[in-house]
Amino acid sequence: MTAAHSGQTLDAGADPGGGRAGRASARIELSGVTRRFTSPTGKVFTALRDVNFTVEPGQFCAVVGPTGCGKSTTLGMVAGLDRPSAGSVRVGGAEVDGITEGVSFMFQQDALLPWKTVLANVALGPVFRGVGKKQAQASARDWLGRVGLRGFEDHHPHQLSGGMRKRVAMAAALINEPSILLMDEPFGALDVQTKAIMSNELLGLWEELKPSVLFITHDLEEAVALSDRVVVMTSGPGTIKGVYDIDLPRPRGAVQEIRFEPRFLELHHQIWESLKDEVQRAYADTGGTSGTAGVEGASGSSGSSGRSKPAGER
Amino acid sequence: MAITSQSKERQMQTPDQIRSALQSEIAADEATVTARALRQARKRKLQVNAGRALLGVLVVGGWQLFAQWKIIDPFFFGQPSGIVRQLVDWFQHGTSFGSIWSQIGVTMEEALLGFVYGVLGGVVLGVLLGQVRFLADVIGPYIKIVNAVPRIVLGSIFFVWLGLGTPAKVLLASVLVFFVVFFNAFQGVREVDRVFVNNARVLGASRLQITRHVVLPSALTWITASLHVAFGFAVIGAIVGEFLGAQQGLGLVISDAQNHFNPNGVFAAMVIIAVIALTAESGISFLEKKLLAWRPPSSTEVAGI
Ligand SMILES: Nc1ncnc2c1ncn2[C@@H]1O[C@H](COP(=O)(O)OP(=O)(O)OP(=O)(O)O)[C@@H](O)[C@H]1O
Ligand SMILES: [Mg+2]
């Protein structure tokens, strides 16, 4: 393997947001956020408790944490789809009330409309915002080209592969040129190679538009490789366990190669130490007897296997 | 197949040549598979059609012969030949209420109007109640109450209100249609995937846009499924309405035949209604195909290849 250690000065990259703090409207602040759910039987369940963290404008922030710790719930509240039971979610200094302005959301589940063609799906954003149909389609065509799907305009989602659908979803999310991009395990179901390609595509597009990104993933390697900041959450009820600034220089270049940098390994190890306990606890809580074997295995070879999910998980 | 010689050849070729050779091989394979599938499909279709024809001949022929041999009494059960004679008579000389075409026309008009109004009402109200929780909670129980009333009884009230003309029958037919479509539309709206709605909301859709781009298309599977049954109900509404009292229409023709102990007349009218219903059914199937063209082909269709 070519350990691309090119002697960069690693302390130079500690400028999250790439110095473009101009779009203050894209700052995300969660303070004291708690979210409780009431089950139909009247039992109250606390999914999130006292969550505090900030995403600076233009920053790429990854959120990692064991399954069921409330990551998707957090994202929903930033988008304005859901309200905290206590605490405040602020975007650009204003309390979130209704759908947040300038936000795009890539959902964990498939959200492409099966009855619309790929082109019509991507064009939805502009169409909803009142752009003329012709113009919306032209820009959708353009975005499909950017994610490498030219020629698939007239296909329906069920005719595409899983990876292609994710790319369509990415184009559909980016076409509105969001100032905030929320991504919920966007590449979770993809194979390693496709994931690497799409991560690189995402980084390229992010550097072009510089939105603030909140990126949920189970893959710690992916989190470290892509982001400026990694937020580690505890198992349920979810709280913030730690926030790690990733001082790897930008542009990162190929995601597959950066993971051999010593600083990368150092950060990965540091965060993994923090995450490991939570993953084990969550696994034990949800009925797994002892997650230790699988989890330890994943931690040992941080260079090859980045799946920080316990083996028995969903 | 001389596989070894082929692979030896391949070693001499550039990757591009290999790929193009492979591609033509694959194309040839696909062509044979397609041809075979087509042949099989055609053969199956032939067998099915032959089976159908045979069954029809058996039933109709058996009926004809049994009636002729007096095993069943043609006075009560009619006879295919009698039915055909009756049909010919109607189409040549008309019924006692005017030409058969005008009877068909009257009934069709009532059924179609009832169908259209019922479907419109069912879809609009179903989609509305499906989306607005408050309305559903308030109106829901009343809809259930009305639904529990035997709807044919409603026909009597409609006659009191509207008299013996077309409107009463249209209303009866549309009420029958309404409930079928309403419950399907309502359920269809309730089943819409939350993720689709949330996605549209984040993309900036208004309530109306969500209804148009997400809710309606999603509920359309349910709604179109109900249309098949609904048209049947529309015809029932029209005919029953004519039974209850009318000056024209197929229902009147049937009740007239019944009063004259003419089973052939009843059966003949049934044949006409069946033809109408089948025509409408194929029209609805066509519409369904058009509306739901986006759906992945069902497993049976794929299995054909
Ligand atoms: N609408 C809801 N009603 C009740 N409980 C909910 C609801 N949504 C989420 N929860 C609960 O809140 C917790 C957090 O859910 P969430 O989907 O945010 O987890 P997550 O961190 O995204 O998990 P994963 O990584 O598996 O996607 C879970 O225990 C879940 O059962
Ligand atoms: Mg989730």
Side-chain angles (χ1 to χ4, degrees):
Chain A
M1 289 286 154
T2 52
H5 181 63
S6 44
Q8 291 136 320
T9 45
L10 294 166
D11 52 350
D15 179 19
R20 256 201 247 184
R23 298 162 87 181
S25 64
R27 169 187 263 107
I28 305 166
E29 296 167 273
L30 288 89
S31 50
V33 171
T34 297
R35 181 71 172 95
R36 300 185 196 92
F37 291 107
T38 316
S39 73
T41 54
K43 250 185 73 184
V44 176
F45 169 78
T46 307
L48 284 173
R49 200 176 59 79
D50 194 24
V51 169
N52 299 286
F53 69 91
T54 306
V55 182
E56 302 298 336
Q59 194 177 42
F60 198 120
C61 176
V63 179
V64 294
T67 176
C69 74
K71 302 182 295 294
S72 300
T73 308
T74 308
L75 235 56
M77 287 190 291
V78 174
L81 291 166
D82 197 9
R83 299 266 167 285
S85 311
S88 84
V89 180
R90 293 165 160 272
V91 171
E95 192 74 27
V96 170
D97 177 33
I99 298 298
T100 312
E101 198 55 43
V103 74
S104 280
F105 201 146
M106 251 181 98
F107 288 84
Q108 189 169 6
Q109 305 92 328
D110 228 341
L112 297 178
L113 300 179
W115 47 86
K116 289 197 185 274
T117 61
V118 166
L119 188 71
N121 262 297
V122 177
L124 274 180
V127 165
F128 287 156
R129 272 151 209 242
V131 175
K133 198 173 167 194
K134 275 253 168 60
Q135 208 183 331
Q137 287 195 341
S139 103
R141 227 175 271 283
D142 177 45
W143 270 101
L144 277 175
R146 286 209 222 178
V147 296
L149 282 178
R150 193 163 283 125
F152 289 92
E153 286 87 353
D154 296 327
H155 284 58
H156 281 275
H158 70 85
Q159 294 167 310
L160 302 184
S161 74
M164 288 157 105
R165 279 205 291 273
K166 284 291 173 197
R167 278 197 253 178
V168 177
M170 196 149 98
L174 288 168
I175 194 170
N176 276 345
E177 309 219 333
S179 55
I180 295 176
L181 181 57
L182 308 174
M183 307 180 92
D184 195 344
E185 295 186 34
F187 313 139
L190 302 182
D191 66 280
V192 180
Q193 289 83 3
T194 314
K195 193 185 220 177
I197 293 171
M198 288 197 60
S199 302
N200 289 336
E201 273 176 29
L202 173 65
L203 270 191
L205 294 169
W206 171 70
E207 259 146 30
E208 219 174 287
L209 301 171
K210 267 298 155 103
S212 312
V213 179
L214 205 46
F215 184 96
I216 294 178
T217 176
H218 277 291
D219 182 345
L220 187 53
E221 256 188 28
E222 183 181 48
V224 176
L226 296 179
S227 48
D228 301 309
R229 177 172 282 178
V230 175
V231 174
V232 178
M233 291 179 72
T234 64
S235 63
T239 52
I240 303 302
K241 179 157 192 191
V243 176
Y244 299 83
D245 282 325
I246 307 298
D247 51 9
L248 296 168
R250 298 261 185 208
R252 297 274 164 87
V255 169
Q256 309 89 295
E257 277 163 32
I258 195 162
R259 61 182 194 200
F260 301 109
E261 303 267 351
R263 179 66 186 144
F264 177 95
L265 295 174
E266 200 178 311
L267 284 163
H268 184 278
H269 183 72
Q270 198 182 347
I271 301 172
W272 173 248
E273 281 302 316
S274 163
L275 181 60
K276 188 171 65 178
D277 305 336
E278 298 308 321
V279 175
Q280 277 169 3
R281 177 131 43 89
Y283 186 59
D285 284 353
T286 52
T289 44
S290 156
T292 337
V295 171
E296 287 295 351
S299 78
S301 59
S302 51
S304 61
S305 154
R307 304 294 292 173
S308 46
K309 272 194 212 181
E313 196 252 331
R314 225 173 5 98
Chain B
M1 284 279 161
I3 293 168
T4 43
S5 78
Q6 257 185 12
S7 56
K8 224 174 257 164
E9 266 171 45
R10 268 188 199 154
Q11 280 168 5
M12 314 285 197
Q13 292 166 335
T14 68
D16 273 347
Q17 282 171 321
I18 293 175
R19 188 165 303 141
S20 76
L22 253 180
Q23 241 147 27
S24 62
E25 240 175 78
I26 289 170
D29 279 354
E30 282 172 351
T32 24
V33 170
T34 317
R36 191 168 54 216
L38 262 178
R39 249 197 328 275
Q40 274 172 354
R42 222 175 280 141
K43 192 171 152 208
R44 218 187 93 79
K45 207 166 169 185
L46 207 73
Q47 287 171 337
V48 168
N49 282 338
R52 282 175 186 163
L54 192 67
L55 187 64
V57 166
L58 272 180
V59 170
V60 176
W63 182 2
Q64 173 73 25
L65 288 177
F66 278 31
Q68 222 151 37
W69 297 333
K70 300 279 188 238
I71 298 175
I72 53 174
D73 189 345
F75 182 75
F76 294 114
F77 292 93
Q79 203 172 11
S81 59
I83 296 169
V84 172
R85 228 175 296 126
Q86 177 73 77
L87 280 173
V88 170
D89 180 50
W90 277 346
F91 280 97
Q92 278 178 349
H93 308 110
T95 64
S96 10
F97 319 102
S99 97
I100 187 71
W101 289 112
S102 73
Q103 313 307 314
I104 295 174
V106 166
T107 304
M108 281 302 287
E109 188 193 339
E110 291 160 357
L112 277 178
L113 281 177
F115 180 72
V116 169
Y117 293 147
V119 168
L120 281 181
V123 169
V124 169
L125 215 61
V127 169
L128 197 68
L129 293 202
Q131 283 188 289
V132 186
R133 190 64 189 251
F134 180 74
L135 274 183
D137 288 346
V138 171
I139 302 180
Y142 292 102
I143 291 189
K144 282 202 188 117
I145 291 172
V146 179
N147 186 35
V149 174
R151 284 184 286 281
I152 306 302
V153 179
L154 287 176
S156 308
I157 302 171
F158 297 156
F159 278 101
V160 174
W161 292 348
L162 298 170
L164 289 184
T166 308
K169 285 123 201 161
V170 172
L171 193 58
L172 183 60
S174 57
V175 166
L176 292 183
V177 170
F178 169 83
F179 282 100
V180 181
V181 177
F182 168 79
F183 285 114
N184 271 274
F186 181 77
Q187 193 60 31
V189 170
R190 281 288 164 95
E191 302 275 314
V192 174
D193 196 332
R194 290 308 303 169
V195 175
F196 293 161
V197 175
N198 283 343
N199 188 36
R201 284 177 66 199
V202 173
L203 285 172
S206 67
R207 210 165 172 145
L208 214 67
Q209 283 172 323
I210 291 178
T211 305
R212 184 173 149 226
H213 291 273
V214 180
V215 173
L216 263 183
S218 175
L220 214 55
T221 328
W222 286 72
I223 294 171
T224 49
S226 75
L227 293 187
H228 296 278
V229 187
F231 192 81
F233 273 108
V235 174
I236 292 173
I239 302 266
V240 169
E242 287 162 0
F243 245 87
L244 291 175
Q247 271 125 19
Q248 270 198 318
L250 286 175
L252 184 64
V253 172
I254 293 176
S255 82
D256 183 59
Q258 177 194 328
N259 292 337
H260 290 93
F261 295 102
N262 175 12
N264 285 336
V266 177
F267 282 120
M270 277 169 58
V271 169
I272 294 174
I273 294 169
V275 169
I276 292 171
L278 283 177
T279 314
E281 168 68 27
S282 66
I284 289 169
S285 292
F286 179 76
L287 187 78
E288 189 174 21
K289 247 196 194 137
K290 275 268 139 87
L291 286 176
L292 303 179
W294 55 269
R295 277 197 305 195
S298 67
S299 50
T300 48
E301 283 166 71
V302 174
I305 298 183

